Amino acid sequence: GAGVSQSPRYKVAKRGQDVALRCDPISGHVSLFWYQQALGQGPEFLTYFQNEAQLDKSGLPSDRFFAERPEGSVSTLKIQRTQQEDSAVYLCASSLVMGDPDYEQYFGPGTRLTVT
Amino acid sequence: AQSVTQLGSHVSVSEGALVLLRCNYSSSVPPYLFWYVQYPNQGLQLLLKYTSAATLVKGINGFEAEFKKSETSFHLTKPSAHMSDAAEYFCAVSDSGGYQKVTFGTGTKLQVIP
């Protein structure tokens, strides 16, 4: 079956532009996570949704970052007024249920954002 | 707070040799521990996980890891490296509760020499 998909796969933005990154989770998955992976680093947690509710946004680095999942399926990560330090791969993951590690997180291929 | 430390950002082994990737964790509560693999331009794939059952965990592609509480370690091993194992490997930890917020290590790139 289809896995987690993300679009676009690559995005180049000029500093100061706004960007929107899309995540299509696996159908029926309740939990959705966003991670930021800087070059040479491990992924870092940004935010978590349970269905349409954003339960944790403690990892968002600034108020320029905003995520939503209005209907409990597709999610969008928006970055306003992009800065060079926002350059990274943004990974989305989904999981069937909340809080049960027997249900693994499935990761998408990521969106590589380059801010010039 | 929970964290993992991966020792060695790059590891090289010969094809057919033992693979050993080291991971130490820090957690104030019983942890869940994971190893993920990432191939170039791809997302992460779960190799194996420890969730407080058996301390020796077997995963996909012949990998296994042993949870050692006394050493706070969760090292990843494979008896015989294959060329297709060349990738980046991430150790990760989450609390044994909550919603599975995962904290990743900085990764170890495995090179397999023919």
Side-chain angles (χ1 to χ4, degrees), chain A residues 21-32:
Chain A
L21 313 180
R22 177 187 169 107
C23 172
D24 285 81
I26 294 173
S27 178
H29 277 197
V30 167
S31 299
L32 187 144

Side-chain angles (χ1 to χ4, degrees), chain A residues 66-109:
Chain A
F66 172 77
E68 60 183 4
R69 194 186 185 197
E71 297 179 358
S73 56
V74 172
S75 177
T76 303
L77 177 66
K78 297 179 179 178
I79 309 173
Q80 298 176 324
R81 304 180 304 281
T82 53
Q83 304 294 316
Q84 282 195 315
E85 61 263 28
D86 300 335
S87 296
V89 175
Y90 291 85
L91 295 167
C92 175
S94 70
S95 177
L96 183 59
V97 298
M98 179 190 75
D100 187 339
D102 285 334
Y103 293 90
E104 69 175 89
Q105 292 186 29
Y106 291 87
F107 282 80

Side-chain angles (χ1 to χ4, degrees), chain B residues 14-88:
Chain B
S14 298
E15 190 175 14
L18 171 72
V19 176
L20 171 61
L21 304 182
R22 299 178 186 273
C23 173
N24 288 86
Y25 71 90
S26 172
S27 179
S28 57
V29 298
Y32 293 148
L33 293 160
F34 310 84
W35 276 100
Y36 286 86
V37 61
Q38 187 176 38
Y39 297 99
N41 298 317
Q42 294 186 28
L44 293 101
Q45 179 182 11
L46 182 67
L47 275 178
L48 50 80
K49 61 188 176 187
Y50 166 77
T51 58
S52 76
T55 56
L56 181 62
V57 181
K58 294 186 183 298
I60 62 172
N61 302 338
F63 285 93
E64 62 182 38
E66 186 172 7
F67 173 71
K68 291 187 177 180
K69 185 177 179 181
S70 61
E71 299 177 6
T72 62
S73 69
F74 190 59
H75 302 330
L76 181 71
T77 60
K78 181 174 180 178
S80 177
H82 192 273
M83 295 299 295
S84 61
D85 295 327
E88 189 155 22

